[in-house]
Amino acid sequence: MSLLVVGLSHRSAPVSVLERASLSADAKVKLLHDTLAAEPATEAAVLATCNRIELYADVDKFHAGVAELSTLLAQHSGVALEELTPYLYVHYEDRAVHHLFSVACGLDSMVVGEGQILGQIKDALALGQELHTAGRLINDLFQQALRVGKRAHSETGIDRAGQSLVTFGLEQLAGARVPVGEWAAGKRALVIGAGSMSSLAAATLARVGVAEIVVANRTAERAERLAEILVASGTGVRASAIAMAGVAEELTRVDVVVSCTGATGLVLTDDDVLAAVSWGAAPDPAPQTPPATAGRGPQAGLTSAPAGGSPAAAGLDSADVVARLAAAAMTHGRLADAGAARTMPAAVEADGCPVGPDGRAALTGVDANSLELHGTWADQGEAAAQRQPRRSTRMHADGPTARLALLDLAMPRDIDAAVHRIPGVRLVDIESLAEASADAPMAADVDAVRAIVAEEVAAFGAAQRAAHITPTVVALRAMAAEVVAMEVARLDGRVPDLDERQRAEVTQTVRRVVDKLLHAPTVRVKQLASEPGGAGYAEALRELFDLDPQTVASVSRADAAEPLNDDDPGRAS
């Protein structure tokens, strides 16, 4: 095994770099084809999510492999190699296996313990199988990663160490002391996109109690299908679909927006959002006290706060802001955000949170198979159409409550980060989620998951090393069987008077002798080969018995051509 992974993630690169380095569906396909065309790689898979891009390959040369994979990532991501290199990480052989297993368990996720990564690993494997870039090693590795991830979630409480990205994002929108169920009750939500992440977001919104969900997508059929699934989910939510052209008008009527598309540019600009929150606003609204419990309508369940949360209002000019951000970057290695959510009105109220930390709980009541099939189907080539910014009038005055809550789960971002400066708008995006989750408490279950990962890495390495010697053992037994056949034929020429029963007895006796002679050494060599440093035993066996390398290679090719066990753990949420 010469497994190599080269990649970057939210842990190694700033969000701005991840946004620019994101891969489209076509770019993934081209990247895999070019990786196999490269000399060092024989098989490959690409794992690209909103917060990581990783290229896995079986290579015959480490240094050449690192150089080639790094160059290919830069070429297909559109980020210059010299700019990308400082953020790349490299893992080789057992360390690469350990990394993928940790990713599958949610240990390397932005929100520790989130399970959606399992569905993304499954998609990466499916793409490699479809394009025939995933050979025996990649198939074994990714299928085992799926099993390890499922084991971690079933045997430990890793789900309590974090939540799904969607649930976590909604909690940030609601505020640290406001129950999500209370915050969401009666609200009208707009979901932009109809892929797997958007489907999960819609199901989560339905679960936490929004009254109505409107789905917007470039392809109307996909939006309509997702709406049908939501209506049939049993949550009681009302759902409908609109075209992307209707998003601007719908923004004036909704309380919550969740966007996750494959667009390469902004789906919502600051002008779009400003126009929505300005629509129908009174010139000088009188202060109001929010109701004790959430009701219906665009202002239902929203918290109040004084206006003026901008840096200027706090007495800081742009130079002060830049200086503080630069100091934070020097200290922490990344730009700091002013909290988990970017908002002008920032007050929170109430205590408690009825939504459990298990991200999968958000999907209770939804037809999981239908949701998974829909998400997979909708993700094929889906990219939301970019809309041109349009001019609008500025707001006359700041409202007393957050008029619009925005959750941007896309990478690159769908919603202009500048909207956080608009009074009455609350924005949570990937960057602010990263800031919030960095301070999240780690559960004791994380240690248990790490132990599982270490155990599974050792088992996988042993299995791969043992499998490496199997073709040699098979070739040895084939040679022994050929020798037996030749000697039996020779005996027939020397003793032609043997009847069939006698000839069969002699043949069986010779075979038993050969099998008994070979049994102990072949079993022992498999055991030795499964241990670290045991790769040389296969070569020793070939040398000792003068085995034909072509015969061994043909056995290896036949083994790789066997039907794969398509382990389907299902799409975790």
Side-chain angles (χ1 to χ4, degrees):
M1 176 182 65
S2 298
L3 179 67
L4 174 67
V5 55
V6 177
L8 67 160
S9 73
H10 64 99
R11 294 186 183 275
S12 69
V15 172
S16 59
V17 174
L18 284 173
E19 283 185 319
R20 294 169 53 211
S22 61
L23 297 174
S24 65
D26 289 341
K28 292 179 190 177
V29 173
K30 293 177 182 177
L31 174 59
L32 287 175
H33 284 316
D34 288 353
T35 301
L36 253 64
E39 182 178 343
T42 57
E43 52 182 293
V46 59
L47 177 60
T49 72
C50 61
N51 54 22
R52 75 177 62 251
I53 302 172
E54 296 176 344
L55 181 57
Y56 292 78
D58 185 7
V59 299
D60 55 5
K61 298 175 183 177
F62 172 74
H63 293 291
V66 171
E68 189 66 39
L69 266 58
S70 300
T71 300
L72 288 170
L73 276 177
Q75 175 184 339
H76 290 278
S77 68
V79 179
L81 180 60
E82 58 271 18
E83 183 179 356
L84 194 64
T85 298
Y87 306 112
L88 293 177
Y89 48 77
V90 175
H91 299 297
Y92 190 54
E93 294 187 334
D94 284 350
R95 289 301 306 169
V97 177
H98 187 281
H99 174 73
L100 180 59
F101 287 3
S102 297
V103 169
C105 294
L107 292 179
D108 197 58
S109 295
M110 185 176 294
V111 180
V112 174
E114 64 93 11
Q116 188 179 2
I117 187 63
L118 284 176
Q120 294 162 334
I121 291 174
K122 180 183 173 185
D123 291 342
L125 174 59
L127 180 62
Q129 291 174 334
E130 178 186 347
L131 300 176
H132 304 290
T133 64
R136 175 62 64 184
L137 175 59
I138 293 296
N139 274 284
D140 288 349
L141 173 69
F142 275 65
Q143 288 178 0
Q144 186 65 20
L146 293 171
R147 287 189 285 267
V148 173
K150 287 190 67 180
R151 179 187 171 191
H153 283 279
S154 64
E155 294 184 12
T156 74
I158 187 64
D159 291 330
R160 295 194 297 267
Q163 305 113 323
S164 73
L165 202 58
V166 176
T167 304
F168 189 59
L170 293 178
E171 289 190 356
Q172 299 307 306
L173 283 179
R177 294 178 294 176
V178 178
V180 172
E182 177 182 329
W183 172 82
K187 280 184 168 58
R188 180 184 175 98
L190 170 63
V191 175
I192 305 177
S196 56
M197 178 68 88
S198 299
S199 299
L200 175 63
T204 305
L205 286 167
R207 178 59 184 167
V208 299
V210 298
E212 184 174 357
I213 297 175
V214 178
V215 182
N217 194 58
R218 184 174 60 88
T219 305
E221 182 185 359
R222 292 168 178 166
E224 291 167 359
R225 181 174 296 189
L226 178 54
E228 291 171 359
I229 293 173
L230 293 171
V231 171
S233 66
T235 59
V237 68
R238 300 189 301 275
S240 59
I242 63 171
M244 287 296 294
V247 166
E249 181 180 354
E250 195 63 37
L251 281 177
T252 66
R253 295 194 290 262
V254 298
D255 311 294
V256 184
V257 177
V258 179
S259 186
C260 186
T261 74
T264 56
L266 295 175
V267 175
L268 294 180
T269 67
D270 56 344
D271 280 344
D272 296 330
V273 176
L274 178 60
V277 296
S278 302
W279 185 84
D284 295 296
Q288 300 177 9
T289 302
T293 58
R296 296 183 182 273
Q299 302 295 335
L302 297 173
T303 58
S304 63
S310 65
L316 299 176
D317 59 23
S318 59
D320 292 328
V321 175
V322 172
R324 293 191 180 190
L325 289 176
M330 292 293 292
T331 303
H332 304 291
R334 60 180 175 182
L335 293 180
D337 197 9
R342 297 171 176 176
T343 179
M344 294 298 289
V348 294
E349 57 189 38
D351 292 320
C353 180
V355 179
D358 186 342
R360 290 173 293 179
L363 289 176
T364 303
V366 178
D367 183 344
N369 291 330
S370 297
L371 189 60
E372 176 180 351
L373 288 173
H374 170 80
T376 303
W377 166 76
D379 278 337
Q380 301 302 317
E382 176 62 16
Q386 299 183 38
R387 293 171 49 236
Q388 296 297 323
R390 52 187 175 81
R391 305 309 302 170
S392 60
T393 57
R394 306 295 294 179
M395 292 184 65
H396 297 288
D398 294 337
T401 61
R403 164 65 182 85
L404 190 61
L406 304 169
L407 177 57
D408 186 358
L409 298 174
M411 183 65 71
R413 71 181 78 233
D414 279 348
I415 303 174
D416 191 342
V419 305
H420 79 277
R421 295 194 296 264
I422 300 175
V425 174
R426 186 174 178 83
L427 171 66
V428 169
D429 56 18
I430 292 295
E431 187 173 8
S432 58
L433 283 176
E435 294 291 337
S437 63
D439 298 326
M442 300 293 286
D445 299 279
V446 169
D447 290 335
V449 173
R450 287 174 176 158
I452 289 176
V453 169
E455 174 188 333
E456 293 284 356
V457 169
F460 183 83
Q464 290 296 310
R465 287 187 290 268
H468 182 69
I469 203 171
T470 297
T472 302
V473 172
V474 172
L476 174 61
R477 290 192 174 276
M479 184 191 74
E482 185 179 348
V483 171
V484 169
M486 292 174 59
E487 290 302 317
V488 169
R490 185 166 175 264
L491 181 64
D492 285 341
R494 290 188 174 187
V495 189
D497 296 334
L498 290 176
D499 58 30
E500 290 298 325
R501 186 186 63 79
Q502 291 171 329
R503 183 181 293 103
E505 184 62 34
V506 171
T507 302
Q508 187 63 28
T509 299
V510 176
R511 286 175 178 169
R512 281 198 297 266
V513 170
V514 172
D515 287 343
K516 287 183 178 180
L517 287 174
L518 291 179
H519 176 71
T522 53
V523 170
R524 182 59 180 152
V525 79
K526 285 184 178 181
Q527 294 173 343
L528 293 172
S530 66
E531 298 174 358
Y537 286 100
E539 183 178 354
L541 206 59
R542 291 192 294 269
E543 289 292 331
L544 288 172
F545 288 93
D546 194 23
L547 297 177
D548 182 6
Q550 296 299 324
T551 302
V552 177
S554 65
V555 174
S556 299
R557 289 193 295 270
D559 180 61
E562 291 178 359
L564 297 170
N565 174 28
D566 186 15
D567 180 82
D568 184 359
R571 185 182 300 275
S573 58

